[in-house]
Amino acid sequence: MLDVLRRIIQEVNGARSLEAALATMVRRIRKAMRTDVCSVYLFDAERDCLVLMDTLGLRTQAVGQVSMPLGEGLVGLVGQREEPLNLEDAPSHPYFRYFAETGEERFSSFLGVPIIHQRRMLGVLVVQQQAMRRFDEGEEAFLITMAAQLAGVLAHAMATGTLTRPTQADGQAMFSGVAASPGMAVGELVVLMPPADLNSVPDLIPTDIEAEITRLHEAIANVRQEIGVAAARLVKRISAQEVALFDAYQQMLGDAALGQEVEKRIREGQWAPGALADVVKRHVQYLERVDDNYLRERAADIRDLGRRVLAHLQEDSPRTPDTFPEQTILIGDELSAASLGEVPRDKLVGLVSIRGSSTSHVAILARAMGIPTVLGMVDLPLPRLNGARAILDGHRGRLFVRPDAEREHHYETLIAEEKALSEVLEHEQDRPSETSDGYYMPLMVNTGLAVEAVASLKSRVSGVGLYRTEVPFMMNERFPSEQEQTRLYRDQLESFAPLPVVMRTLDIGGDKDLPYFPIDEANPFLGWRGIRVTLDHPEVLMVQLRAMLRASVGLDNLCILLPMISSIEEVDTALKLIDRAQRELIEEGVKLARPQVGVMIEVPGTLYQLDALAARVDFFSVGSNDLTQYLLAVDRNNPRVASLYDACHPAVLGALSHLASESRRLQVPASVCGELAGDPAGALLLMGMGFEALSMNAPSLSRVRAAIRRVSLADTRTLLDETLALPTTAAVRAHLRQRMGEWKLAHLLPPDD
Ligand code: PEP
Ligand code: MG
């Protein structure tokens, strides 16, 4: 059964239009369940009714004609209750309604299940049988499973342009993901296709067999030409034996070989990419089983050739820098930092990626470059978006595809306002971050990239509150050497001296992977992460500590920060290693001052060990990003639960407030370096709590500074007291917005919905 289910989902997924998807769905389900009828109804929210969209078994003339309001008829009842309905004798049910157009009276048994996606009822799936019998438990379970699986596919099919809702012919759609870099953009979507993958080609029935065959032969001809060019380029550098391999490739691609077989498969009723994938996979499977090394290696060749042909079959005309639209929103399965380089900077207005997280390399770069970015848009139907007009909202993690003129105009206005605001705030950037009653709130900056150590920043901040050392590690192809690290760290320390620079030891794991040190775990955020990794690899940590210490010679503005601390033993071991690194360097004749050492407070358990921590370290730095995810058990990078992830959750605010007062009692300076510190309203709350410094990404500085300069310290304390009394995140956010409005600071917050 699982196999049937997978196959149906795959086919529906691969369909090119909503009609095709629905037709596949009813045909396959009817066959799998051996019923007389299978129909699908979709919910039309505007008319508040369910419309028959496809059927096999009822009269096809009824499609699009029969509709029933929620709560009327059996289908309407299923839609309203959002529960399955399984009847042996449907016509005797009080809700039964007769539609002459369908010829329905002939069917006795009825099984209807709702199609629900993320709490929203999208439609109803129905099977019917002439004979009076009750569908058994297994059949009911099958249809429920089918509907749950199809819900995701349908939701996005309906949300995209080519696949439209019953009354939504203009194809508007909204997708949500994880906001990774703030800002908004209006532009044209350009899809960067992932490398061709023979395993993810869906089965599709071709509409025009001859056209598919022509497409195939063109693709093969292109690959043959590419191989010819590659062989000519290499002929002087490779052996005759290797040159012969290129001839073998040409033969494999010859009409008598692969081409002919794929053509035959197309004629049997498979589209060109599917036919190619079938044939290549069959050959590869066969060759891999053969007991002959030479032939087994040929399996890899065939797979590679297959991928190349597939790439040509899938490609639209490749882009060059001049052919990118003026306002490009780049969109891809997994955008890499390198893919940013493909679009000229002045044309790149936004980034969207199906995979990737807010701490990925591409997100860090995007924030540094000020490009609005949304990642983790897991359900985007990439192939159908190329060339579509879109609005990207990097504040809220949303993408509107083919927006209507009104929404586009609304966003154009917001973008113009943001631009004007940045220009106004820029004038204030060199003023102190001081409240109206003279309280000075030190603002610091989070860095990681070399470009972020810009001279203009130094006069505007009180130092670097978080230098994420994993960023330069991510840019490398191996662990950077002690010398390389010393140079990097020296640059940072020098750029900001005499201001303090808080350097965090390598914080990898979770979602931050190094390409040369992959960590593959079922539960990476609860796994080998941060200090846990570096204490297990003292050789890596020692090199880093030595490099930091060496880099600080004569500057003495280094502070060392330990990430992901969850136990006192970790602190003790790390402190011993810091002492050892220092001793070694002093023995080597390097003159060193002991740096301040602090821990990140981001694992909730540390909140209960503050006394023991305070006895060991010089400062606390609160990672509100991780503290939020661990306190609330909400993955900070999972778009499905993105609406639950908010550092303004009352529990998080309560924990932060407790931490601030405990730190005061313990006389340990505490600052915040998570995203909450860069949110103007969040910054005011943290100030009210009594944190001693706020560290944020450079683009957030101007808004936070502007907010601080327009309130008094007493205001922030009142705001905090009021906020801490509220029971929900929504109430907190609404209250913050209201107060910010009263203080004429609403313009500093991201635009409201
Ligand atoms: C945090 O967790 O809040 C933090 C600043 O660290 P990172 O975002 O790098 O995990
Ligand atoms: Mg963290």
Side-chain angles (χ1 to χ4, degrees):
M1 225 24 166
L2 191 58
D3 233 26
V4 179
L5 222 131
R6 273 211 202 105
R7 226 178 147 68
I8 300 179
I9 305 289
Q10 200 192 22
E11 276 190 47
V12 172
N13 236 330
R16 284 175 167 176
S17 66
L18 181 60
E19 288 69 30
L22 297 179
T24 307
M25 207 186 285
V26 295
R27 199 177 68 231
R28 293 295 190 196
I29 294 174
R30 189 174 88 144
K31 189 165 167 217
M33 294 185 70
R34 296 197 190 86
T35 59
D36 298 325
V37 179
C38 178
S39 317
V40 59
Y41 297 76
L42 292 188
F43 182 55
D44 181 346
E46 272 162 43
R47 290 194 288 149
D48 205 32
C49 66
L50 286 149
V51 183
L52 177 65
M53 293 299 290
D54 207 336
T55 180
L56 211 64
L58 300 181
R59 285 195 196 124
T60 44
Q61 295 94 304
V63 169
Q65 300 304 313
V66 168
S67 69
M68 53 205 71
L70 276 196
E72 277 188 34
L74 297 177
V75 174
L77 186 63
V78 174
Q80 184 187 47
R81 286 194 187 156
E82 301 188 349
E83 274 172 11
L85 184 64
N86 190 352
L87 302 172
E88 194 173 329
D89 181 15
S92 68
H93 191 280
Y95 272 75
F96 181 82
R97 254 183 71 191
Y98 174 63
F99 291 94
E101 308 92 296
T102 62
E104 199 159 8
E105 81 272 34
R106 294 181 286 122
F107 302 104
S108 301
S109 337
F110 172 100
L111 170 60
V113 301
I115 305 173
I116 297 180
H117 182 67
Q118 292 181 344
R119 302 189 189 184
R120 219 159 38 92
M121 193 270 297
L122 301 180
V124 174
L125 201 52
V126 176
V127 288
Q128 288 167 283
Q129 192 96 35
Q130 219 164 342
M132 209 195 275
R133 65 136 174 147
R134 205 178 150 80
F135 288 102
D136 69 25
E137 252 179 56
E139 288 167 315
E140 187 175 322
F142 174 79
L143 202 63
I144 292 173
T145 316
M146 198 76 245
Q149 288 286 320
L150 290 172
V153 180
L154 259 189
H156 293 285
M158 286 159 70
T160 58
T162 39
L163 311 188
T164 56
R165 268 172 220 261
T167 57
Q168 199 182 344
D170 53 354
Q172 294 171 40
M174 192 198 81
F175 300 95
S176 300
V178 174
S181 174
M184 295 167 288
V186 176
E188 188 179 316
L189 294 174
V190 173
V191 177
L192 274 192
M193 276 311 225
D197 177 4
L198 289 163
N199 292 320
S200 62
V201 181
D203 295 329
L204 283 184
I205 300 163
T207 39
D208 181 345
I209 287 185
E210 293 312 320
E212 288 299 289
I213 291 174
T214 312
R215 234 153 66 78
L216 170 74
H217 288 301
E218 278 169 11
I220 291 180
N222 281 332
V223 176
R224 293 187 77 161
Q225 197 198 345
E226 277 170 16
I227 289 173
V229 172
R233 214 185 296 132
L234 291 174
V235 79
K236 289 207 191 73
R237 276 182 271 155
I238 58 178
S239 67
Q241 205 182 2
E242 284 159 331
V243 173
L245 204 58
F246 282 92
D247 293 336
Y249 290 165
Q250 294 286 14
Q251 274 169 25
M252 285 183 210
L253 287 169
D255 276 343
L258 204 66
Q260 214 170 46
E261 270 190 79
V262 181
E263 188 176 323
K264 182 161 164 266
R265 185 83 187 90
I266 295 175
R267 292 198 188 282
E268 285 166 7
Q270 180 60 293
W271 68 319
L276 175 78
D278 289 349
V279 171
V280 169
K281 282 194 277 189
R282 203 172 59 228
H283 279 284
V284 168
Q285 266 170 12
Y286 169 73
L287 289 171
E288 279 176 346
R289 278 202 299 265
V290 176
D291 192 16
D292 176 315
N293 280 347
Y294 176 82
L295 284 177
R296 265 207 306 277
E297 275 176 33
R298 297 292 72 78
D301 294 337
I302 297 224
R303 200 183 297 114
D304 181 55
L305 290 175
R307 259 193 230 122
R308 284 166 186 266
V309 177
L310 183 62
H312 279 282
L313 281 173
Q314 291 178 334
E315 94 185 345
D316 289 327
S317 53
R319 297 258 179 198
T320 62
D322 339 324
T323 58
F324 278 102
E326 284 308 309
Q327 310 274 97
T328 298
I329 299 176
L330 200 61
I331 177 166
D333 181 49
E334 185 159 30
L335 293 181
S336 65
S339 52
L340 296 196
E342 291 187 24
V343 191
R345 177 65 191 92
D346 57 334
K347 291 185 169 183
L348 186 60
V349 297
L351 293 173
V352 179
S353 180
I354 291 183
R355 278 185 269 187
S357 67
S358 59
T359 42
S360 64
H361 193 173
V362 71
I364 293 166
L365 271 174
R367 280 196 291 270
M369 291 164 76
I371 306 172
T373 301
V374 181
L375 305 175
M377 284 210 163
V378 278
D379 298 319
L380 270 186
L382 279 187
R384 302 183 191 112
L385 297 180
N386 207 21
R389 207 158 165 75
I391 297 169
L392 181 65
D393 183 339
H395 295 299
R396 271 176 294 259
R398 288 182 187 164
L399 178 75
F400 298 92
V401 178
R402 302 182 189 87
D404 57 24
E406 194 185 332
R407 191 184 297 276
E408 191 167 325
H409 177 70
H410 174 64
Y411 269 89
E412 295 280 15
T413 313
L414 293 177
I415 291 168
E417 282 171 9
E418 272 209 339
K419 190 160 172 275
L421 178 65
S422 311
E423 279 157 21
V424 170
L425 295 180
E426 180 59 28
H427 296 303
E428 219 179 329
Q429 279 280 42
D430 291 309
R431 305 266 172 82
S433 44
E434 198 174 284
T435 58
S436 56
D437 53 348
Y439 176 79
Y440 178 68
M441 182 74 218
L443 299 186
M444 301 177 92
V445 65
N446 293 349
T447 61
L449 297 167
V451 293
E452 288 173 313
V454 287
S456 60
L457 261 182
K458 186 173 161 183
S459 61
R460 297 173 170 184
V461 295
S462 303
V464 174
L466 173 66
Y467 172 64
R468 290 181 164 103
T469 58
E470 58 277 8
V471 178
F473 276 64
M474 279 158 141
M475 310 271 191
N476 240 326
E477 280 163 13
R478 51 169 173 75
F479 286 115
S481 68
E482 184 173 325
Q483 244 182 10
E484 286 166 328
Q485 289 186 52
T486 307
R487 222 174 302 126
L488 274 169
Y489 303 158
R490 180 84 190 171
D491 277 353
Q492 278 285 320
L493 293 168
E494 256 175 359
S495 304
F496 289 92
L499 303 173
V501 174
V502 180
M503 294 201 160
R504 182 168 74 182
T505 61
L506 190 62
D507 185 15
I508 51 169
D511 61 341
K512 281 180 282 197
D513 243 0
L514 299 176
Y516 46 91
F517 191 72
I519 301 172
D520 190 14
E521 291 178 316
N523 234 330
F525 275 114
L526 301 182
W528 207 40
R529 225 203 126 176
I531 198 78
R532 301 172 184 181
V533 178
T534 49
L535 288 184
D536 285 351
H537 278 281
E539 77 287 10
V540 175
L541 182 57
M542 281 300 284
V543 167
Q544 183 170 42
L545 292 172
R546 287 170 55 98
M548 287 180 179
L549 291 168
R550 230 184 238 290
S552 73
V553 172
L555 298 171
D556 300 337
N557 58 343
L558 168 71
C559 307
I560 297 178
L561 179 61
L562 307 172
M564 216 21 217
I565 290 293
S566 61
S567 77
I568 300 300
E569 289 90 334
E570 287 164 348
V571 181
D572 287 338
T573 315
L575 287 173
K576 275 196 198 119
L577 291 177
I578 295 173
D579 284 345
R580 203 174 93 200
Q582 190 167 8
R583 256 198 331 273
E584 283 173 12
L585 288 170
I586 291 172
E587 278 165 22
E588 288 168 30
V590 183
K591 285 202 167 43
L592 282 176
R594 191 186 187 281
Q596 298 244 308
V597 179
V599 286
M600 288 208 71
I601 305 291
E602 49 187 353
V603 176
T606 52
L607 293 171
Y608 300 93
Q609 293 215 284
L610 294 172
D611 284 76
L613 289 169
R616 289 163 169 80
V617 298
D618 306 305
F619 64 95
F620 296 149
S621 178
V622 184
S624 56
N625 306 340
D626 278 314
L627 189 61
T628 303
Q629 88 161 342
Y630 292 132
L631 261 177
L632 303 181
V634 178
D635 180 344
R636 65 196 252 192
N637 292 314
N638 181 345
R640 289 213 176 93
V641 289
S643 63
L644 300 176
Y645 179 88
D646 191 333
C648 280
H649 186 291
V652 181
L653 295 178
L656 289 169
S657 178
H658 164 77
L659 173 60
S661 41
E662 282 295 280
S663 308
R664 266 199 311 283
R665 176 179 70 78
L666 294 163
Q667 299 187 336
V668 176
S671 59
V672 180
C673 63
E675 300 296 322
L676 184 64
D679 165 351
L684 296 186
L685 287 176
L686 295 171
M687 197 163 109
M689 291 176 193
F691 281 102
E692 296 191 10
L694 303 175
S695 192
M696 64 205 72
N697 298 323
S700 305
L701 283 165
S702 57
R703 284 166 194 253
V704 171
R705 185 189 314 273
I708 291 172
R709 289 176 56 77
R710 280 163 189 78
V711 297
S712 68
L713 183 60
D715 285 339
T716 66
R717 290 188 176 146
T718 313
L719 178 71
L720 177 67
D721 290 342
E722 292 164 352
T723 307
L724 286 179
L726 298 170
T728 64
T729 311
V732 170
R733 284 285 176 199
H735 185 67
L736 293 177
R737 195 165 274 280
Q738 187 198 328
R739 280 279 178 266
M740 294 289 275
E742 286 163 13
W743 293 332
K744 309 248 175 314
L745 294 175
H747 61 291
L748 299 177
L749 299 178
D752 206 1
D753 264 338

